[in-house]
Amino acid sequence: MGNSHKYVYLFSEGNGSMRELLGGKGANLAEMTNLGMPVPQGFTVTTEACTQYYNDGRQINEDIQAQIYEYLGKMEEICGKKFADPENPLLVSVRSGARASMPGMMDTILNLGLNDVVVEGLAKFTNNPRFAYDSYRRFIQMFSDVVMELSKKRFEEIIDEVKAKKGVKQDVELDTDDMKHLVVLFKEFYKKEKGEDFPQDPKVQLMEAVKAVFRSWDNPRANVYRRMNEIPYDWGTAVNVQSMVFGNSGDNSGTGVAFTRNPATGEKALFGEYLINAQGEDVVAGVRTPSPISKLHEEMPAVYEQFADIANRLEQHYKDMQDMEFTIENGKLYMLQTRNGKRTAAAALKVAVDLVDEGMIDEKEAVCRVDPKQLDALLHPTFDPEALKKAQAVGKGLAASPGAACGRVVFTAEDSKEWHARGEKVILVRLETSPEDIEGMQVSQGILTVRGGMTSHAAVVARGMGTCCVSGCGDIVVDYENKKFTLAGKDYHEGDWISLDGSTGNIYGEAIATVPADPGSGYFGRLMGWADKYRQLKVYTNADNPRDAAQGYAFGAQGIGLCRTEHMFFEGERIKAIREMIVSDNVADREKALAKIMPYQQGDFEGIYEAMHGHPVVIRFLDPPLHEFLPTKEEDIVEISKEMNIPLEKLHNVIDSLHEFNPMMGHRGCRLAVSYPEIAAMQTTAVINAAINVQKKHPDWTMVPEIMIPLVGEVKELKYVKDVVVKTADAIIAAAGIDMKYEVGTMIEIPRAALTADEIAKEAQFFSFGTNDLTQMTFGFSRDDAGKFLSYYYDKKIYESDPFAHLDQNGVGKLVAMAVQLGHQTRPDIHMGICGEHGGDPTSVEFCHKVGLDYVSCSPFRVPIARLAAAQAAIKQSRAPEIK
């Protein structure tokens, strides 16, 4: 081979540690080969070859092609069969395998190597012509769909036409002549579409298939999945070429998928399903509904025993629940792949805790095993037991992914997105889902399919997303044309309400009320206990009222990192007083109006302090521009002018004068307090009085109010507002005759604040990073409008993720890290946190841990996610030296 770079590895040359090069599937096939398991042999084309393919302008260069053919030769020797040889043909499957598991996102081609001559040889060699032609028609179908991008649906229609003509229901009822006929019809369709004959040279077939797998790394659905799961584009995918074993060669053959534990509940028992006389595609695509793995025990006891033993060995080896694909060819078992199984949140917790109890892994490893984003599913609602008792199930499918879903029926992914954008809750009903449906699945409350088992695309993807799914309800008749389905004699049209129970598989033809989840117990409690033991970051919540504060506290929040005071201004009587203040043209009138609001503010703060049991509460002073409080409709303006006894013209003048071209960067935040210091004085009075009252009621709590001045960009403006706060607070505390400490800090959300953080820290006792605004100002993106054009940036690979969802560590993160460092230089004991939405995003939490923040703050429902992410960040960092 000379000194050229090695792009191809036999399974026997690799091992489990080579994931980055061989992809997850290739590394695991190599590992199983090393363990002496019955793996059909083959080779892996590396992820580097994929990257090279894109660098070469989507071409496979000659060096890589030569290596693929060379390894094909080695594979022929190992298997004792020859490619394109009718006497004893070698057929292969071509499958993708990225570093991170992307179920159903990438394409598979089976039975490659067949042509008009080889198929006759295969028929003779196996003495089974029906099997040979069934394999050939499957190959034409998959190759046309995956490699040549012809319509998959048209092939299904041709099969249905042939079955209808013959008057049969199942594919297995078609005989050899029918299969030969299908081959002819398929090739005719191919020629009509492509203007050329179906390729007969197996080497051409192979190279085209490898190209197609590389190409599928960049298809729209893979890109959406990658953005959802933060898988970098430059990782590429490997290709696995494996000798075919045939599950469709008779009743002594079959194929299936199984898990070492139940992926929905985590229960320790083999869980899975298989089909006799079928190929793997049939199980996953959900064309036929399979039998449970336990039945294999009756049908083929020896094979079942061998499989159970391998499953157990694999779980012991990987120390995690495995998801395995297997094929039985004429009574002999083959393992086609294994990977760590995708599982529901409830199962993930149970498996992690059970593995600790079984002595397989330690607590730290268990904490790292659960994806923090998955916890979301546990915090989601279930059906109200009372309402459920009254409801009558109209049908039942498989309980593929747990949760309660209630929504309106839609039939396509596009419609899901459209209805969701209008604020409707939807349930997506499909014959079966395919990877194209991923964006529609993402916005649906639940997914209902007619076909497909517990390992179908719909089930696996829904479990990963934490979305409720009921699959394989064969009683449903779907009519896409007329946008309706029929179940138990009743029609359900687009827009009708139905409910799904993903934990039982029940389907209800009505809307059923849901109740919030209660995750505090059992496995959740134990795992979160370990997480709290190992994490260093504190986790606070963002809450503007006692109800949210209590919810965050119940989920384990250790304080409030952001209480937005303006949210308290929009209710009934309060908004009137605010409007009075805005239209006043002198300090005395403004103070009079503010005096009306003061008691409301104080009452709110007391409620929030009570809900947090004396834990820290950071209160942000008024932030939005004043025009947000003013009416826009003429009739409301007329009403105010009457109520406040202000001439209509004067009111219009005030409203016009407050209009700003870019209010996000206008007269808001601390700029209001600089213009109208009486606002800061009123808010300080409310905060300090509330703290004093709560302190008196709870002598054992130590109340230290934390007042946060937003939108500071210059130390002098902070000092000006802080002086107003200090003067007001000190007077109240002195008059009350108690000793109360309080802190004044600022929100770092303007790039200039990060750049001058050393100066700002002279006046600020704490920093809180408002990363939503900091992202907005650093990128110059309007958060409300960026969504309209960012999709072009994703398509052109300029950005891989939404900077408002995942903190941009390269740019915005640099400003955060700089401000942390500069702040500590000036004031070593300064404390710092983050309160933007990024506070509940796992990768952003890891970044916050690295740069040395003290806490993250996020919305109440994301508190458990942040607690787990913070623990994983700490454990990862403590292990880092070992890796180097």
Side-chain angles (χ1 to χ4, degrees):
M1 237 170 66
N3 55 8
S4 76
H5 190 77
K6 186 169 166 66
Y7 284 111
V8 186
Y9 288 78
L10 288 173
F11 294 165
S12 54
E13 293 179 305
N15 63 59
S17 69
M18 295 167 69
R19 281 188 85 84
E20 298 194 0
L21 197 57
L22 304 178
K25 189 173 291 186
N28 289 341
L29 284 168
E31 194 74 0
M32 286 200 292
T33 299
N34 294 340
L35 290 168
M37 292 179 177
V39 175
Q41 286 302 294
F43 58 83
T44 301
V45 187
T46 65
T47 54
E48 291 177 347
C50 179
T51 309
Q52 194 57 46
Y53 161 86
Y54 282 104
N55 291 346
D56 292 336
R58 301 189 176 222
Q59 299 293 324
I60 299 181
N61 69 35
E62 285 176 8
D63 184 18
I64 298 174
Q65 292 206 32
Q67 290 189 38
I68 289 174
Y69 292 140
E70 180 192 343
Y71 275 77
L72 185 61
K74 296 187 178 190
M75 188 172 157
E76 290 175 330
E77 281 168 40
I78 295 170
C79 301
K81 297 177 177 185
K82 273 205 138 15
F83 209 48
D85 170 12
E87 295 303 306
N88 184 7
L90 171 66
L91 301 185
V92 300
S93 66
V94 179
R95 288 186 166 95
S96 74
R99 268 195 232 184
S101 169
M102 295 172 64
M105 291 303 116
M106 319 282 286
D107 298 313
T108 294
I109 300 115
L110 304 179
N111 310 316
L112 190 141
L114 281 172
N115 59 24
D116 295 349
V117 182
V118 172
V119 71
E120 289 179 31
L122 185 68
K124 268 209 225 57
F125 182 74
T126 55
N127 200 13
N128 188 341
R130 183 195 180 280
F131 148 72
Y133 284 93
D134 177 35
S135 302
Y136 193 21
R137 69 92 193 165
R138 287 169 186 272
F139 169 54
I140 297 171
Q141 197 175 343
M142 286 171 117
F143 189 87
S144 305
D145 165 32
V146 171
V147 180
M148 294 300 170
E149 296 171 328
L150 297 185
S151 156
K152 190 178 186 168
K153 201 162 133 253
R154 183 64 200 126
F155 288 101
E156 295 294 340
E157 285 165 5
I158 295 172
I159 296 173
D160 288 341
E161 285 159 19
V162 170
K163 286 198 290 202
K165 220 174 187 167
K166 192 170 179 177
V168 299
K169 279 263 192 292
Q170 295 276 351
D171 294 4
V172 278
E173 298 173 81
L174 298 174
D175 60 23
T176 308
D177 291 337
D178 300 321
M179 289 299 175
K180 284 184 173 173
H181 185 47
L182 280 178
V183 167
V184 173
L185 293 174
F186 283 2
K187 289 196 329 200
E188 280 172 5
F189 170 61
Y190 183 93
K191 187 163 186 175
K192 193 175 110 236
E193 292 290 310
K194 296 306 270 186
E196 58 186 33
D197 285 322
F198 187 83
Q200 293 287 313
D201 180 347
K203 285 194 167 176
V204 171
Q205 296 171 357
L206 176 64
M207 210 48 72
E208 288 301 319
V210 172
K211 249 185 256 175
V213 173
F214 286 160
R215 195 172 61 221
S216 72
W217 175 249
D218 192 27
N219 68 29
R221 60 180 198 243
N223 287 326
V224 169
Y225 187 89
R226 266 206 298 280
R227 262 206 309 288
M228 274 165 47
N229 295 284
E230 297 168 67
I231 298 168
Y233 176 70
D234 57 18
W235 277 9
T237 181
V239 182
N240 297 292
V241 177
Q242 190 171 23
S243 65
M244 280 296 300
V245 284
F246 299 97
N248 60 332
S249 57
D251 289 340
N252 201 13
S253 302
T255 187
V257 176
F259 295 80
T260 54
R261 298 174 191 233
N262 185 316
T265 64
E267 184 197 353
K268 187 173 162 57
L270 262 188
F271 170 92
E273 48 199 14
Y274 69 101
L275 281 169
I276 286 292
N277 199 9
Q279 280 196 340
E281 196 54 18
D282 302 342
V283 183
V284 182
V287 182
R288 284 158 56 193
T289 298
S291 315
I293 192 93
S294 51
K295 195 160 188 297
L296 188 63
H297 199 236
E298 301 158 29
E299 291 192 326
M300 304 184 181
V303 170
Y304 177 85
E305 289 305 328
Q306 186 192 357
F307 179 71
D309 174 56
I310 287 176
N312 188 37
R313 277 176 63 202
L314 284 172
E315 187 175 89
Q316 294 286 334
H317 181 77
Y318 285 103
K319 299 187 170 19
D320 200 355
M321 167 190 129
Q322 294 301 293
D323 160 1
M324 304 156 295
E325 282 181 27
F326 63 93
T327 287
I328 302 156
E329 181 182 76
N330 303 327
K332 181 164 165 29
L333 174 71
Y334 292 95
M335 299 300 294
L336 302 186
Q337 81 159 15
T338 189
R339 62 180 174 207
N340 294 344
K342 293 258 181 255
R343 60 205 83 173
T344 62
L349 289 174
K350 179 170 164 54
V351 169
V353 173
D354 285 351
L355 289 176
V356 173
D357 292 343
E358 291 166 29
M360 257 205 250
I361 60 174
D362 62 13
E363 291 174 358
K364 283 185 177 176
E365 183 55 39
V367 166
C368 292
R369 283 287 169 87
V370 178
D371 177 359
K373 288 195 290 255
Q374 267 197 304
L375 293 179
D376 213 13
L378 293 176
L379 313 175
H380 285 322
T382 47
F383 287 125
D384 173 1
E386 287 309 303
L388 199 56
K389 270 185 208 149
K390 297 185 193 119
Q392 195 55 52
V394 291
K396 193 175 170 77
L398 301 172
S401 181
C406 168
R408 306 175 73 161
V409 173
V410 293
F411 292 94
T412 68
E414 280 66 46
D415 289 342
S416 297
K417 289 191 330 204
E418 220 166 276
W419 284 61
H420 178 260
R422 295 205 297 264
E424 297 280 4
K425 293 188 162 174
V426 297
I427 286 179
L428 179 60
V429 181
R430 301 284 297 158
L431 267 173
E432 63 213 5
T433 63
S434 76
E436 283 82 275
D437 297 325
I438 182 151
E439 289 178 278
M441 295 170 74
Q442 207 182 344
V443 296
S444 304
Q445 303 293 311
I447 296 150
L448 173 60
T449 68
V450 180
R451 304 199 284 231
M454 300 288 279
T455 52
S456 62
H457 173 265
V460 172
V461 174
R463 283 200 288 268
M465 287 182 183
T467 301
C468 161
C469 175
V470 173
S471 67
C473 176
D475 301 337
I476 291 177
V477 179
V478 173
D479 175 355
Y480 284 141
E481 292 286 297
N482 298 304
K483 294 199 170 181
K484 64 169 191 172
F485 74 85
T486 312
L487 177 60
K490 185 170 177 294
D491 284 351
Y492 295 88
H493 295 86
E494 180 178 67
D496 288 350
W497 285 91
I498 61 167
S499 301
L500 306 177
D501 188 337
S503 308
T504 61
N506 285 342
I507 302 159
Y508 302 91
E510 62 197 284
I512 303 175
T514 56
V515 293
D518 168 29
S521 55
Y523 298 106
F524 181 86
R526 282 184 70 191
L527 190 97
M528 294 311 284
W530 297 334
D532 292 340
K533 180 158 120 188
Y534 294 110
R535 71 184 159 91
Q536 286 150 21
L537 278 171
K538 292 194 171 89
V539 176
Y540 290 8
T541 189
N542 300 341
D544 311 330
N545 55 55
R547 187 191 65 240
D548 287 355
Q551 180 72 74
Y553 187 75
F555 281 146
Q558 297 161 283
I560 290 179
L562 177 63
C563 172
R564 310 175 188 86
T565 50
E566 60 276 1
H567 286 193
M568 310 168 171
F569 283 173
F570 284 102
E571 289 165 36
E573 289 302 307
R574 310 177 182 195
I575 190 91
K576 284 185 189 163
I578 282 281
R579 286 168 173 170
E580 237 172 85
M581 175 200 78
I582 294 172
V583 298
S584 306
D585 52 12
N586 59 73
V587 176
D589 284 352
R590 273 199 296 275
E591 286 181 334
K592 204 166 94 195
L594 287 164
K596 294 181 187 171
I597 303 166
M598 217 285 300
Y600 292 120
Q601 282 257 287
Q602 185 178 322
D604 284 334
F605 295 143
E606 285 181 23
I608 287 171
Y609 282 142
E610 288 279 353
M612 287 315 289
H613 302 267
H615 284 285
V617 176
V618 177
I619 292 169
R620 180 180 74 186
F621 276 8
L622 195 61
D623 187 45
L626 291 176
H627 78 92
E628 283 192 16
F629 299 103
L630 288 176
T632 48
K633 292 194 186 121
E634 185 60 30
E635 62 258 37
D636 295 341
I637 296 172
V638 171
E639 191 188 332
I640 290 174
S641 98
K642 282 188 188 137
E643 240 176 52
M644 292 178 59
N645 205 5
I646 296 174
L648 191 57
E649 192 187 353
K650 182 182 174 187
L651 189 55
H652 269 295
N653 288 341
V654 171
I655 292 172
D656 290 344
S657 73
L658 288 173
H659 171 78
E660 293 182 276
F661 284 104
N662 197 339
M664 275 308 309
M665 301 174 81
H667 196 192
R668 54 173 278 234
C670 64
R671 300 160 193 175
L672 290 174
V674 168
S675 315
Y676 310 121
E678 49 278 15
I679 299 178
M682 181 278 287
Q683 291 201 291
T684 305
T685 307
V687 168
I688 300 296
N689 279 335
I692 289 172
N693 288 350
V694 172
Q695 180 72 75
K696 283 179 181 159
K697 260 170 70 183
H698 301 278
D700 51 331
W701 293 0
T702 312
M703 300 297 297
V704 181
E706 297 187 33
I707 290 170
M708 177 155 73
I709 313 295
L711 217 74
V712 164
E714 158 61 49
V715 65
K716 289 180 198 153
E717 71 187 323
L718 174 60
K719 183 170 180 357
Y720 177 82
V721 180
K722 183 183 170 185
D723 288 348
V724 175
V725 172
V726 169
K727 188 179 162 195
T728 311
D730 287 355
I732 297 172
I733 292 170
I738 68 165
D739 176 29
M740 177 175 278
K741 303 235 181 321
Y742 63 92
E743 292 189 348
V744 182
T746 187
M747 203 153 169
I748 306 276
E749 51 191 326
I750 288 182
R752 193 176 188 280
L755 297 168
T756 61
D758 48 348
E759 295 173 26
I760 289 177
K762 290 180 184 143
E763 296 293 335
Q765 291 164 283
F766 64 86
F767 286 167
S768 178
F769 291 91
T771 50
N772 302 356
D773 265 1
L774 189 57
T775 298
Q776 192 159 227
M777 308 247 193
T778 305
F779 276 91
F781 283 161
S782 154
R783 190 171 56 212
D784 303 319
D785 301 322
K788 294 174 193 159
F789 58 80
L790 274 176
S791 58
Y792 298 107
Y793 277 67
Y794 303 145
D795 292 345
K796 298 186 166 68
K797 308 289 184 300
I798 296 172
Y799 292 133
E800 289 198 30
S801 68
D802 176 352
F804 293 107
H806 305 302
L807 185 68
D808 158 51
Q809 299 184 11
N810 253 358
V812 180
K814 224 172 252 178
L815 287 171
V816 173
M818 174 192 291
V820 170
Q821 197 191 343
L822 292 172
H824 280 299
Q825 274 172 23
T826 301
R827 187 186 290 266
D829 63 344
I830 191 168
H831 49 110
M832 307 195 195
I834 176 181
C835 61
E837 270 308 293
H838 296 112
D841 167 60
T843 40
S844 307
V845 171
E846 185 180 342
F847 173 79
C848 294
H849 172 88
K850 274 194 202 138
V851 295
L853 296 187
D854 300 295
Y855 67 87
V856 296
S857 189
C858 55
S859 56
F861 276 89
R862 295 179 94 171
V863 166
I865 296 175
R867 285 164 62 197
L868 184 55
Q872 291 181 355
I875 292 167
K876 201 164 160 182
Q877 198 177 32
S878 70
R879 291 174 172 175
E882 301 166 24
I883 295 165
K884 279 173 201 156

